[in-house]
Amino acid sequence: MKSTPVECAWSLAGSRLLILLCLAANGMTAKAAEAPRPNVLLILTDDQGYGDIGSHGNPYLKTPVLDRLAESGARFDRFYVSPVCAPTRASLLTGRYHLRTGVTGVTRGYENMNADEITLAECFEQGGYRTGCFGKWHNGRHMPMHPNGQGFEEFFGFCGGHWNTYFDSPLEHNGKSVSTEGYIIDVLTDHAIDFMEENDREPWFCYVPFNTPHSPWRVPDAYWQKYEGLGLDAKAQCAYAMVENIDDNVGRLLESLEKTEQSKRTIVLFITDNGINSDRFNAGMLGRKGSHNEGGVRVPCFIRYPGIIPANTTIKEISAHIDILPTLAELCYLERPAEPPLDGVSLVPLLRQQNPDWPERMIFTDTFRSRSGLEKMNGAVRTQQWRATTSRGQWQLFDMQDDPGQTKNLSAEHSELVADFAQAFEDWFASTGATEIGERPIPIGHASRQQFELYPCESKLIPGHGEGISYTGDTTNGFANCWIHEWTDPAAYPEWKLEVLGAGEYEIEMEYTCHRNDVGVEMEVCIGDQKSSVVIPKAYDPPLVNKPDHVFSYNYQTKASWAKIKTGHMKLTAGMHTAQVKIKHFARKGISRPAQGIDLRVVRLKRVD
């Protein structure tokens, strides 16, 4: 049945949410004392689209574990997320649209979530749950934006949005670097299983954000070979191989629950973070990752809770990532402060099939932003019937019930409806308070850490006289796996904005390579009005290495190793500072010349007082 035009859907959803929150505040404490609280296993995959599920009609891919998971509980048929990784994660963790959380993009600090946001993990932690995150975080690598600062007792994985190495990956455990052996998804699953099994006598929240099928296109050969000879391009072949590996690892997680007799008291959710990341089967939808059309933001969502959610439930009502926190809060009797307000609503009435008066609602999508600013309106409004999209102020309208592939723009036929949607989008956008986009300062000196890193991807590259400084791959984005590559212009340099949280003395160290150094190179680190310099003693130029890559990706190469050198100590005062690294000219035997071919991976500050 088609929905009516807009009809105050946004305000209705907000009113219903306030009612739910009031009821929860009055009754949660008493219910929690009476009822056993379930565990929660939340699995999020990276760049796996709606079509990357066997039961969604994919003609090549088999996902038996995920298909059984969907059949054993509820399958949300119209579930929406953000067009790219970090915004989805921020909304999933907070129940709020990502623009409210400070997240606007995927790198250069635009992915950092405000430290004062209340996350799912903090709600569970306050409710007496053990909390663990195993995988890709992508909402800030520095404390207090780090997972350990956002409610997770245990974190094993990586914080950036991109990763070079999928085999024998260097990862971190609660802020400390660790070496691993094997394929990254297998390793993350091992650690998630350990967490669930070690805490089988108390309730836990286990968040497993897998980082595949995001590139680089690397997967164990046994999976790759299963999709040979099917006429697929290399990216689709590798993506499907990665998804089959995901399916096997989800199976391992579920087997662990059965083995430890936790399955019946565990809520299992499976969600993905955006649409497909290459041109492959997408169930006839328009758009892919990065798009605010249906194919960029409609994803799988399965939830199982034995005895509470009926099996083989299909939910047609639209829902979104912002609904997960209020839904889990109701199912697990969690309390959350009324402020900051949520955007999502509890889906429990839908899950329990008690939804005769489920209100019409709007779900808003905003595309990721960085330096493009806030004046360019790019996004969409989704209701049960309509998808209204805007690209730089040009609106289109699609009837998603009659035209799910978005082949016919109906904006001319329904100009008044388009005007209503445009006004609703503008009002919503204004309500987010997103008035400024900027690269926020890097916090240094948090009391829980002794060591702090400044990565090139978080810097602003100050140009010199030519093209003498760039990120690997000559990209201007500075993705998390990039370093400063072939730095040859002494007039160019990277610059970071810092916020020193704790005054003290810090030792400065750099990781670098130097391709040609026949006369020596002097490097200088400047923070505020302090300077510390060191002469690189000799050339160090290890080769680029790469594990087998089924689709070559230059940006995902890495160095075989890096040289380390200390530049000295600095006493930093609390407050805002600017940090820079510079190459200095010098003369020997009457010859003055610039340094040649510096690669810079990281500047490290270690507190020593």
Side-chain angles (χ1 to χ4, degrees):
M1 177 175 159
K2 291 189 177 183
S3 61
T4 58
V6 182
E7 295 183 353
C8 301
W10 185 22
S11 59
L12 280 171
S15 298
R16 186 177 182 281
L17 172 61
L18 290 174
I19 293 170
L20 287 171
L21 288 176
C22 291
L23 290 173
N26 291 330
M28 274 184 189
T29 304
K31 288 182 180 179
E34 298 169 4
R37 291 175 298 168
N39 305 316
V40 175
L41 171 60
L42 173 55
I43 304 164
L44 178 74
T45 64
D46 196 357
D47 291 356
Q48 181 178 359
Y50 180 88
D52 290 335
I53 298 288
S55 59
H56 287 176
N58 192 301
Y60 306 103
L61 180 62
K62 289 181 171 57
T63 53
V65 174
L66 293 173
D67 295 344
R68 287 195 299 271
L69 178 64
E71 293 168 358
S72 63
R75 182 199 305 263
F76 285 86
D77 192 55
R78 296 289 187 275
F79 188 87
Y80 298 97
V81 293
S82 302
V84 288
C85 312
T88 287
R89 291 155 201 272
S91 290
L92 177 67
L93 288 166
T94 65
R96 289 157 48 81
Y97 284 111
H98 65 84
L99 289 177
R100 302 194 199 279
T101 73
V103 176
T104 61
V106 298
T107 192
R108 303 289 304 280
Y110 300 118
E111 76 276 24
N112 292 344
M113 184 166 61
N114 295 332
D116 58 359
E117 287 292 326
I118 300 171
T119 68
L120 262 172
E122 288 170 309
C123 293
F124 278 108
E125 187 178 42
Q126 290 299 312
Y129 277 67
R130 299 297 308 278
T131 57
C133 173
F134 306 92
K136 168 180 169 176
W137 175 245
H138 204 184
N139 280 142
R141 68 169 87 222
H142 306 281
M143 287 291 286
M145 298 172 287
H146 185 277
N148 292 146
Q150 293 283 24
F152 286 103
E153 301 171 87
E154 282 289 311
F155 172 66
F156 187 94
F158 63 96
C159 289
H162 313 79
W163 208 239
N164 300 63
T165 310
Y166 279 12
F167 292 90
D168 302 339
S169 302
L171 300 175
E172 70 156 284
H173 178 216
N174 294 338
K176 295 182 179 179
S177 298
V178 293
S179 299
T180 68
E181 295 182 2
Y183 190 58
I184 187 169
I185 305 303
D186 302 337
V187 172
L188 296 173
T189 301
D190 291 342
H191 285 268
I193 288 172
D194 289 344
F195 173 81
M196 295 189 303
E197 294 185 355
E198 289 168 2
N199 295 290
D200 65 336
R201 296 185 180 277
E202 52 190 324
W204 46 257
F205 170 53
C206 183
Y207 175 42
V208 187
F210 288 141
N211 56 296
T212 55
H214 194 294
S215 56
W217 303 100
R218 296 176 192 146
V219 70
D221 286 340
Y223 289 97
W224 168 262
Q225 291 163 3
K226 287 185 179 183
Y227 292 90
E228 289 184 331
L230 300 180
L232 299 167
D233 66 52
K235 288 183 178 180
Q237 180 176 342
C238 197
Y240 292 157
M242 288 172 159
V243 170
E244 184 166 336
N245 171 265
I246 288 170
D247 196 69
D248 286 346
N249 277 295
V250 172
R252 292 175 58 211
L253 292 166
L254 300 182
E255 288 170 8
S256 170
L257 295 178
E258 292 290 344
K259 183 182 74 173
T260 55
E261 299 182 346
Q262 298 186 83
S263 184
K264 292 182 179 180
R265 54 187 170 92
T266 300
I267 300 170
V268 179
L269 293 97
F270 175 85
I271 305 170
T272 77
D273 68 350
N274 48 245
I276 54 173
N277 58 341
S278 73
D279 293 326
R280 55 185 188 265
F281 176 78
N282 204 22
M285 295 185 293
L286 177 66
R288 46 176 277 191
K289 177 181 179 179
S291 168
H292 51 252
N293 288 302
E294 193 84 351
V297 294
R298 180 186 171 200
V299 300
C301 178
F302 312 141
I303 177 168
R304 183 185 82 180
Y305 188 6
I308 302 297
I309 299 174
N312 292 305
T313 298
T314 298
I315 296 172
K316 295 289 187 180
E317 288 83 355
I318 59 172
S319 53
H321 47 12
I322 54 175
D323 301 328
I324 297 301
L325 188 149
T327 300
L328 290 177
E330 183 170 351
L331 290 172
C332 300
Y333 310 109
L334 300 175
E335 296 189 55
R336 181 194 179 279
E339 296 292 333
L342 294 174
D343 290 306
V345 298
S346 173
L347 302 173
V348 170
L350 296 177
L351 292 169
R352 289 180 169 167
Q353 299 182 327
Q354 300 168 341
N355 56 307
D357 299 317
W358 189 256
E360 174 72 12
R361 68 185 298 199
M362 292 184 188
I363 292 173
F364 296 92
T365 298
D366 187 71
T367 56
F368 64 101
R369 302 164 182 271
S370 53
R371 292 181 181 176
S372 61
L374 295 165
E375 70 283 355
K376 298 176 182 177
M377 288 293 181
N378 294 299
V381 184
R382 183 64 156 92
T383 68
Q384 197 67 35
Q385 177 181 353
W386 302 100
R387 174 170 290 280
T389 66
T390 179
S391 297
R392 301 191 178 190
Q394 298 298 312
W395 282 91
Q396 293 185 310
L397 182 68
F398 303 94
D399 186 332
M400 301 305 295
Q401 293 181 5
D402 288 346
D403 180 25
Q406 294 178 248
T407 61
K408 187 176 181 181
N409 175 17
L410 299 176
S411 59
E413 292 92 325
H414 298 279
S415 57
E416 291 184 3
L417 187 55
V418 171
D420 288 344
F421 282 129
Q423 188 62 57
F425 185 87
E426 290 180 16
D427 291 346
W428 165 78
F429 192 90
S431 80
T432 67
T435 58
E436 182 179 352
I437 290 179
E439 296 160 279
R440 284 175 288 173
I442 298 169
I444 299 295
H446 192 275
S448 68
R449 296 285 192 265
Q450 290 295 113
Q451 188 167 283
F452 311 91
E453 287 82 19
L454 307 182
Y455 288 96
C457 65
E458 299 173 295
S459 71
K460 179 179 181 180
L461 298 187
I462 307 300
H465 303 305
E467 298 180 356
I469 190 168
S470 65
Y471 302 112
T472 46
D474 293 323
T475 174
T476 59
N477 293 309
F479 291 120
N481 53 286
C482 292
W483 61 85
I484 290 174
H485 175 63
E486 296 287 355
W487 181 6
T488 59
D489 186 350
Y493 56 91
E495 180 176 274
W496 295 263
K497 300 298 182 183
L498 309 183
E499 181 179 8
V500 177
L501 304 177
E505 186 172 352
Y506 294 82
E507 180 182 71
I508 315 296
E509 180 183 71
M510 295 188 300
E511 288 190 16
Y512 72 96
T513 65
C514 183
H515 302 304
R516 191 173 84 222
N517 188 15
D518 51 347
V519 293
V521 177
E522 186 174 3
M523 303 289 292
E524 182 178 71
V525 178
C526 310
I527 302 180
D529 59 357
Q530 298 188 68
K531 297 180 180 180
S532 176
S533 62
V534 65
V535 174
I536 294 176
K538 61 181 181 179
Y540 184 75
D541 188 17
L544 287 168
V545 294
N546 220 341
K547 290 290 183 181
D549 191 353
H550 296 295
V551 183
F552 180 72
S553 307
Y554 177 85
N555 282 340
Y556 293 101
Q557 288 187 296
T558 188
K559 291 279 189 178
S561 60
W562 295 84
K564 297 180 180 180
I565 193 166
K566 293 180 172 59
T567 69
H569 289 206
M570 291 185 184
K571 290 187 176 181
L572 302 181
T573 58
M576 307 300 292
H577 297 272
T578 298
Q580 302 168 339
V581 177
K582 296 183 176 181
I583 298 174
K584 297 188 68 176
H585 286 271
F586 72 100
R588 192 172 76 181
K589 296 183 179 179
I591 300 174
S592 179
R593 57 188 298 178
Q596 297 292 324
I598 296 290
D599 285 4
L600 179 66
R601 177 182 176 269
V602 66
V603 179
R604 187 173 290 112
L605 287 74
K606 183 177 181 180
R607 190 153 184 173
V608 294
D609 59 352

